[in-house]
Amino acid sequence: MRVLVTGSGGFIAKNLLLVLAERADVELLRFDRRDDAARLPELMREVDFVFHLAGVNRPKAASEFASGNRDLTRAVCHAARTIAETSRRRIPILLASSIQAGGDTPYGRSKRAAEQAAFAVRQSHGVPVHVFRLPNVFGKWGRPDYNSVVATFCSNIARDLPIDIRDADAALSLVHVDDVIGRFIQLMDGATPSENAEGYETVAPQYETTVGAVAALIRSFKASRATLTTEAVGSGFARALYATYVSYLPPASFAYAVPQHKDARGAFVEMLKTRDSGQFSYFSAFPGATRGGHYHHSKTEKFLVIKGRARFKFRHMQTGETCELHTSGETSEIVETPPGWAHDITNIGECEMIVLLWANEVFDRARPDTYAFAL
């Protein structure tokens, strides 16, 4: 399949082009602002699908709205119409429009005229057309201080720069660029269109939030490096926004230090804490050193020795039953500590031992649920 992407230097196009380049069955052609619109008929004769993403939203002169949005889309549709008439090939066109097309501004009117051109060629010549009135799109590679408040907030907060919030309660409708690209690709691959009542394709999920809520969540991402407490970034809006925030980190900020606590036995380092799924840490132990020597009422832990040799000792706090386990970094074996069993771990090897540790709850000094007991 040969695919043409217009506006190939734009935010959405960059993400789309990367995904398309991953496919061996797609050959890419590009059209950007440096190209002459007169090239479109020639380019389109060679392709099987057109992603028309080119557009103007911050021109130097208002007249550029019409030329960059309406007129360019008309040129794309005219080429599609001519190809349909001369070769009976109907090349699908996907048009990225904007929710602002419903407004009475020069930009909105120009985008609405572009939509009308697309719908017209479908009506007159049966050209498959997919029109998206996209809300605010966010994700990696957006331009800060241009047309995305999310990009601006992420970039500035990552760099300790101020952000300007005029109305924290202002509503914000957002879609993540990965979801946009996912739906684009589905349609290219022949998925059944799912137009709404007004005839527009939509992207799901769409997140309804506020400017203030977005800023607060991004700030919490930054703060998590100091608190070690992460938000629930494994799904939904928080996942998409966190991925976006991290993509704006300057290379000098890719790494950050966390506190290390050392004593005669070795070192202990907390890596990550969650609000409802415990915390992750690691510790080291010198040869012969023992750690632990306590029991818990309800806390549970998982240990994974990744270097060295370990002996785990257990004692049941009611029956006195004992248990001893040996493991090493060569076995990839997790040892779990049940409540009501005292336990310790000793380095029985000749080199430093390193152990990963997960506890099902974040350590609370006021209620540690950790009681010393010598085994």
Side-chain angles (χ1 to χ4, degrees):
M1 176 180 285
R2 305 192 79 188
V3 175
L4 172 64
V5 178
T6 73
S8 56
F11 158 49
I12 296 177
K14 289 176 182 177
N15 283 271
L16 174 64
L17 287 167
L18 182 62
V19 174
L20 291 175
E22 295 161 1
R23 294 182 46 157
D25 62 337
V26 171
E27 182 180 347
L28 291 169
L29 287 80
R30 296 171 170 84
F31 179 94
D32 63 29
R33 64 181 61 192
R34 297 169 296 182
D35 294 309
D36 189 337
R39 290 190 60 219
L40 284 170
E42 176 188 353
L43 287 171
M44 289 181 60
R45 277 194 294 270
E46 303 177 24
V47 303
D48 305 295
F49 198 96
V50 176
F51 290 100
H52 182 38
L53 311 182
V56 172
N57 58 6
R58 285 199 176 186
K60 294 180 180 178
S63 60
E64 295 178 42
F65 284 128
S67 61
N69 295 324
R70 181 196 65 194
D71 296 346
L72 185 58
T73 304
R74 286 177 176 176
V76 170
C77 293
H78 178 74
R81 183 183 302 112
T82 301
I83 293 168
E85 292 172 347
T86 57
S87 66
R88 297 190 178 183
R89 291 181 64 231
R90 291 169 173 80
I91 303 168
I93 300 171
L94 185 150
L95 171 64
S97 185
S98 165
I99 55 173
Q100 295 187 49
D104 191 26
T105 64
Y107 175 69
R109 291 193 295 270
S110 69
K111 297 299 282 187
R112 189 162 61 250
E115 296 174 356
Q116 291 166 352
F119 287 134
V121 74
R122 177 167 69 181
Q123 180 68 27
S124 64
H125 289 73
V127 173
V129 168
H130 313 288
V131 179
F132 285 78
R133 275 194 174 179
L134 294 171
N136 298 280
V137 183
F138 71 101
K140 64 183 182 299
W141 304 334
R143 289 176 59 183
D145 301 313
Y146 186 64
N147 61 348
S148 169
V149 66
V150 174
T152 303
F153 284 2
C154 286
S155 179
N156 284 21
I157 291 173
R159 290 163 174 77
D160 294 317
L161 298 174
I163 59 174
D164 180 24
I165 301 178
R166 299 178 184 178
D167 181 3
D169 295 324
L172 201 56
S173 296
L174 297 169
V175 288
H176 188 230
V177 70
D178 284 4
D179 296 319
V180 173
I181 301 308
R183 184 55 184 159
F184 282 8
I185 297 295
Q186 287 176 350
L187 291 169
M188 182 192 76
D189 287 338
T192 302
S194 56
E195 298 173 352
N196 60 22
E198 290 75 34
Y200 298 98
E201 281 287 337
T202 58
V203 176
Q206 182 167 318
Y207 304 108
E208 303 298 332
T209 182
T210 65
V211 172
V214 169
L217 190 52
I218 296 171
R219 286 189 175 113
S220 76
F221 297 155
K222 182 177 180 63
S224 68
R225 287 190 167 191
T227 65
L228 302 184
T229 302
T230 182
E231 301 294 333
V233 296
S235 62
F237 179 57
R239 175 184 181 275
L241 189 61
Y242 183 69
T244 303
Y245 168 71
V246 173
S247 76
Y248 285 89
L249 290 172
S253 298
F254 286 0
Y256 62 101
V258 294
Q260 188 174 89
H261 308 281
K262 294 182 176 181
D263 59 25
R265 298 169 299 174
F268 176 77
V269 177
E270 293 178 309
M271 175 186 173
L272 185 70
K273 301 177 183 180
T274 70
R275 298 191 185 280
D276 57 9
S277 298
Q279 69 177 61
F280 299 84
S281 55
Y282 81 88
F283 62 83
S284 64
F286 298 122
T290 297
R291 286 186 171 275
H294 54 239
Y295 66 90
H296 313 293
H297 287 294
S298 57
K299 180 188 295 186
T300 63
E301 299 162 318
K302 293 178 186 288
F303 295 85
L304 175 63
V305 177
I306 60 173
K307 178 185 175 183
R309 297 172 56 216
R311 180 188 67 211
F312 287 85
K313 293 173 64 177
F314 295 86
R315 180 184 178 89
H316 195 284
M317 296 304 296
Q318 280 294 310
T319 67
E321 179 183 356
T322 61
C323 174
E324 187 172 300
L325 301 173
H326 289 226
T327 187
S328 73
E330 298 177 355
T331 59
S332 299
E333 184 177 30
I334 291 176
V335 177
E336 192 153 21
T337 58
W341 286 78
H343 51 273
D344 65 22
I345 175 173
T346 300
N347 181 354
I348 59 173
E350 298 179 355
C351 63
E352 182 183 41
M353 179 178 68
I354 299 176
V355 183
L356 292 180
L357 167 63
W358 170 80
N360 71 316
E361 60 187 43
V362 173
F363 182 74
D364 182 353
R365 292 188 180 278
R367 301 181 61 186
D369 190 12
T370 300
Y371 301 91
F373 185 87
L375 280 80

